[in-house]
Structures are given as C-alpha cells and as structure tokens.
Amino acid sequence: MKNILACIVTIITLSNLITTSQGRRVLQSFETFEYTAITCRSHSASITEYGGVGDGKTLNTKAFQSAVDHLSQYSSDGGAQLFVPAGKWLTGSFNLTSHFTLFLHKDAILLAAQDLNEYPILKALPSYGRGRDAAGGRFASLFFGTNLSDVIITGNNGTIDGQGSFWWQKFHGGKLKYTRPYLIELMFSDTIQISNLTFLDSPSWNIHPVYSSNIIVKGVTIIAPVKSPNTDGINPDSCTNTRIEDCYIISGDDCIAVKSGWDEYGISFGMPTKHLVIRRLTCISPYSAAIALGSEMSGGIEDVRAEDITAYQTESGVRIKTAVGRGAFVKNIYVKGMNLHTMKWVFWMTGNYKAHADSHYDPHALPEITGINYRDIVAENVSMAGRLEGISGDPFTGICISNATISMAAKHKKAIWMCSDVEGVTSGVDPKPCDLLDGQESETKKKMIDGGCDFPTDVLEIDNVELKTCSYQMS
C-alpha cells in the first residue's frame, strides 16, 4: 500500500520537436514534476547520465556513488538533485552528500544488493559500544551519510526494496559477524527530509537518524513481514527536533522506536532524544509496539508528543522499555488520541528489559521514568488494559491517564490491570485501573487530574519548518 499523504507530487509528460545530428526532426518527451521539500535545488541530473542501468540485474553502486560525488560540487551553488527514473536499480551501499536530493520516480525501484561485499564494515556506534546483532561493528546502510547538512530523500512514491530475506536467513542461522544494514542511516547530520517513499523488506531497521537534528519523516509507507526480525520502522536515536507524520507501517518490530544509546555506552555518550513529534501514524505490528520508548534509552528521552495514533493487531500502544543499568530518564511524554483495535495491551511499561550491551553495565544506574501522560484513548478487543511494571526501589512516577475507554476481548486476561512499582493518577478510565493509580488528592495529583493529562500547547521548532514547492524537468 503506497501512502500519498507525504507531499504533493505532480508529474506532467510533455514533448518537444528536436533536430538530430542527421537533420531529422523527432519528438523528444520530458517530464515536469513538482514536490514539496525543505529546499529546492539549482542543479539536476539523472542516474542514467552516470551509467546507471535499470534492468534489475546490473549493479549500479559505482554509478550512484559517482553521481553523488560529481553532484557534490554544487553544494555551495544551490545544491543538486539526482533523479532515478522508472526501472529496477540494483545497488549496494553508497554515501550521500550535503545540499543534495535523491528523487525516485513512482515506477523506480531501488533493489538492495544481496552481496555482503557491497556493504562496507563500520565501527559500532559510540553510544552502543557494540553491534545489535553481534559484538562487532555493522554493515553500512544502503543510503549512508555522516556530518551532512540539508539532505532530502524523496520521490513520487518510488520504492526502496531491501530484499531482506537474504539477511534474515543469515541472522536466524547465526552466520553474521556484523549487524545487518539499515535502509537509511544518517549520523551527526542536520536538516533531513525523508518523504513520499515506500520501503519494503529491510534487512533490519528501516530509517535510522542518529546524533542528528531537524528531521522530517513524512508520508512514508514501510512494509515487512510481521515475523521478520528487528524490522523497526523509524528509529530516531539521540536526535533533537524530529517530526514524524502521516506514516503507514507494517513491521516485524516496533513501528517507531525512540532510542538514545545502550547502558554504560549511552550514559557516557550522553546525547538524549528530545523534542519529538509523532502524528497521524497507522501501525500493524502483532509482536511489538506502535511506539516504543527504549529499551536503549541511556542518553535520555524527553519531550515526546504523539497524537492521532491508530493501531491494528498490535501488541501495545505506547510502550516504555528500560532496565537496571540503563540510567538516564524517560520524562515528559505526552500521548493524545489513540484508536487501537485488537491489542494485547493498551498501556505497557517494562522495568526489567533483559538485553544488555555486555556484563559491564552499572547496576546502580537506575532510570528515571516520570511525567508520562495519556489522554483520549479508545481501544477495542483488548486482552489486558495495562501492564505497568516499574523497578523495585525506583518506581515509575507521575503517570497520568485521562479519558480512556477500553473494550475487553471476549477471552481477555483474568487480570485486566497489572501494576507494580508505579505511581500515578487516572480520570475517566474504564475499566477501573489498579490501586497504584488511585488518584488520591495530593496537590500534585489534583493538578494532574484537573489538567486531564494536559498536552503541551507550545509549538516546537521543527513544527515551524514549512516545505516549499520544487519544480523540475527531466527528459
């Protein structure tokens, strides 16, 4: 299913009479296309000008890298756009550049090469200390970049096909020495737009901005088998000012996972994810969450605002995952307007998530989980309303749930709520929550109840970014 909410893209096919070198007059067709972006470019070229062949068999890694390298000369002259026309374009990993747009025609399919040699080996991320799949480093992502500014990856609903089954089999067989590649990873970068594309069958995570800022992910469709391993949709990781909106995701893992580093490595690196907006998300993920906070959250997560979230046949709505040894915090989280259908849990918080980077984590590094707000929730066919499990001696506090109507499944769990080591208040929640969310009238609790788990009214910087209409012509 291709999402068309991302940006207005208009393509008009035109023609013009030209004279060939033999003096014959022929009709030359070209396309004018428009789309919205944070920046328009002064220069444009097609991948075919660099030897690209869209037959689904010819390897185009060198063509793509040559194109990007050549177009980088325009970075200080209005930037450049690389156009990928209709066809099947087989490629391995290549690096992007600053002030650059990669645009995919609606009938363009980028096929990720199924050859390990097409993906350079990179060091482990400093906030993780090791790879996610193995103790070593990681394969470079299909599209990779570091220390970039003003990067746009967009199109007219073109497709990026990760051909992930090749990697999933190796992962399940324990045959990988390095972590599988993602489809997009941009590091230490600023001003990023990823929009109006379809992502299929990623080897692992799909979109991974890390140590970056001022990011817009808009109108993308992400699809992977629901049992595919670790095929998270969008994972902002130690990022500031991120806007994710109008996305449709079917995943084998969390549709969106908010991260900031792992145990002692994330604590040492100390870069939180903050000022994140998620709106109008549709998710299907039977074994994971619509939105997960953690479990790698050791740099901290704060000021996350999620609204208009729809999930079908998904394990949980917004889940918090953490553990002893993670340290840092998850605080000031605001969720408004969730419509959930056929769920295992509506509310799920876990303080005993088991995975650690290694055995050297600090057992005294306890996470602070506080200021977690949910309001205006409707859920149906639910097995358990809430499973909220804090940490003994380190309770999760400041939980506020307001105006939530939950219809239980015919064969729901006997315990509708399970709560331990949590503190909070509720108002207008049915079925009745556990006693630890009793809402007794301390001043703090009264303020929370009267406010109805208030959603912030201030506007984040990233919401002030307006997209421009860009127009181009390609023969």
Side-chain angles (χ1 to χ4, degrees):
M1 179 176 182
K2 292 190 174 181
N3 192 316
I4 59 172
L5 295 174
C7 55
I8 300 172
V9 180
T10 304
I11 295 197
I12 305 170
T13 301
L14 303 172
S15 59
N16 187 33
L17 279 171
I18 64 169
T19 302
T20 68
S21 58
Q22 290 81 25
R24 294 163 50 198
R25 302 197 74 189
V26 298
L27 202 62
Q28 180 190 45
S29 295
F30 58 91
E31 290 181 329
T32 297
F33 55 97
E34 293 182 346
Y35 61 91
T36 55
I38 51 178
T39 311
C40 301
R41 307 302 183 195
S42 299
H43 305 270
S44 188
S46 171
I47 186 61
T48 57
E49 298 174 41
Y50 300 89
V53 179
D55 61 2
K57 299 177 181 179
T58 302
L59 187 63
N60 292 288
T61 311
K62 290 182 179 179
F64 276 105
Q65 194 61 70
S66 294
V68 173
D69 292 345
H70 179 259
L71 294 174
S72 68
Q73 68 180 302
Y74 301 114
S75 62
S76 59
D77 183 29
Q81 171 183 263
L82 180 61
F83 177 72
V84 182
K88 294 183 177 181
W89 307 88
L90 181 67
T91 181
S93 173
F94 60 92
N95 295 330
L96 303 179
T97 190
S98 294
H99 309 292
F100 175 79
T101 297
L102 181 66
F103 184 95
L104 272 64
H105 183 277
K106 67 182 179 65
D107 295 320
I109 303 173
L110 262 65
L111 296 172
Q114 297 181 312
D115 179 351
L116 274 61
N117 295 319
E118 286 296 310
Y119 301 85
I121 306 302
L122 306 178
K123 292 181 180 179
L125 291 168
S127 60
Y128 284 73
R130 56 158 289 163
R132 295 294 288 113
D133 294 342
R138 65 199 199 281
F139 291 101
S141 297
L142 186 64
F143 304 160
F144 179 76
T146 185
N147 295 291
L148 302 182
S149 178
D150 181 19
V151 177
I152 300 170
I153 305 170
T154 189
N156 183 26
N157 270 325
T159 299
I160 301 169
D161 187 343
Q163 301 201 101
S165 60
F166 166 82
W167 296 92
W168 306 334
Q169 292 172 13
K170 289 184 178 297
F171 172 75
H172 286 308
K175 296 178 180 179
L176 292 173
K177 296 181 180 179
Y178 306 102
T179 294
R180 286 162 286 160
Y182 309 144
L183 291 184
I184 298 176
E185 182 176 70
L186 297 172
M187 301 174 54
F188 298 109
S189 296
D190 178 74
T191 311
I192 297 165
Q193 175 185 333
I194 301 168
S195 62
N196 217 38
L197 294 167
T198 295
F199 296 82
L200 300 178
D201 295 348
S202 177
S204 184
W205 302 351
N206 281 266
I207 299 172
H208 183 225
V210 57
Y211 320 138
S212 296
S213 59
N214 301 313
I215 303 154
I216 296 175
V217 181
K218 183 175 175 66
V220 301
T221 296
I222 297 173
I223 298 175
V226 296
K227 292 188 177 181
S228 55
N230 314 114
T231 51
D232 302 35
I234 306 165
N235 290 7
D237 194 342
S238 294
C239 289
T240 299
N241 289 330
T242 303
R243 187 169 102 203
I244 301 171
E245 56 192 7
D246 302 317
C247 295
Y248 177 92
I249 302 173
I250 303 176
S251 172
D253 211 310
D254 303 314
C255 287
I256 294 177
V258 184
K259 299 178 180 293
S260 66
W262 203 1
D263 288 350
E264 69 269 27
Y265 304 102
I267 294 171
S268 176
F269 197 76
M271 184 179 288
T273 288
K274 59 184 179 180
H275 309 322
L276 167 63
V277 177
I278 303 168
R279 58 171 67 98
R280 297 184 300 275
L281 166 70
T282 299
C283 169
I284 299 174
S285 183
Y287 304 102
S288 292
I291 301 173
L293 307 174
S295 76
E296 303 92 333
M297 40 63 64
S298 298
I301 297 171
E302 65 176 317
D303 192 8
V304 176
R305 309 172 185 199
E307 55 183 323
D308 296 335
I309 309 302
T310 301
Y312 300 91
Q313 296 181 336
T314 295
E315 189 174 52
S316 58
V318 177
R319 183 185 179 189
I320 296 175
K321 302 188 284 187
T322 188
V324 170
R326 291 291 196 269
F329 51 82
V330 176
K331 61 184 181 181
N332 302 331
I333 310 300
Y334 306 93
V335 180
K336 178 176 73 173
M338 286 201 298
N339 288 280
L340 310 175
H341 310 265
T342 308
M343 309 290 290
K344 191 171 183 179
W345 295 286
V346 175
F347 308 103
W348 192 11
M349 302 181 187
T350 307
N352 62 346
Y353 204 82
K354 299 298 184 183
H356 291 283
D358 53 37
S359 61
H360 303 302
Y361 67 90
D362 180 359
H364 302 293
L366 301 178
E368 177 191 9
I369 313 299
T370 189
I372 313 300
N373 301 274
Y374 304 92
R375 62 175 295 174
D376 305 336
I377 313 298
V378 176
E380 62 179 14
N381 198 28
V382 173
S383 297
M384 179 180 286
R387 179 179 171 183
L388 311 181
E389 301 167 320
I391 296 171
S392 179
D394 181 36
F396 298 174
T397 63
I399 300 167
C400 184
I401 306 174
S402 172
N403 189 27
T405 301
I406 302 168
S407 300
M408 306 306 296
K411 296 182 179 180
H412 63 76
K413 299 286 186 182
K414 184 176 181 181
I416 294 177
W417 291 83
M418 291 180 60
C419 302
S420 60
D421 300 298
V422 296
E423 300 173 6
V425 298
T426 62
S427 174
V429 177
D430 182 49
K432 183 181 182 299
C434 48
D435 291 341
L436 291 176
L437 303 176
D438 58 14
Q440 293 181 3
E441 297 291 313
S442 72
E443 280 301 313
T444 300
K445 291 181 178 181
K446 185 176 186 304
K447 182 178 179 182
M448 293 170 68
I449 293 171
D450 290 345
C453 311
D454 277 345
F455 199 85
T457 57
D458 63 312
V459 177
L460 292 180
E461 180 181 337
I462 192 64
D463 265 333
N464 287 323
V465 176
E466 296 184 1
L467 303 184
K468 307 170 185 177
T469 298
C470 305
S471 180
Y472 299 93
Q473 213 173 77
M474 296 298 299
S475 60

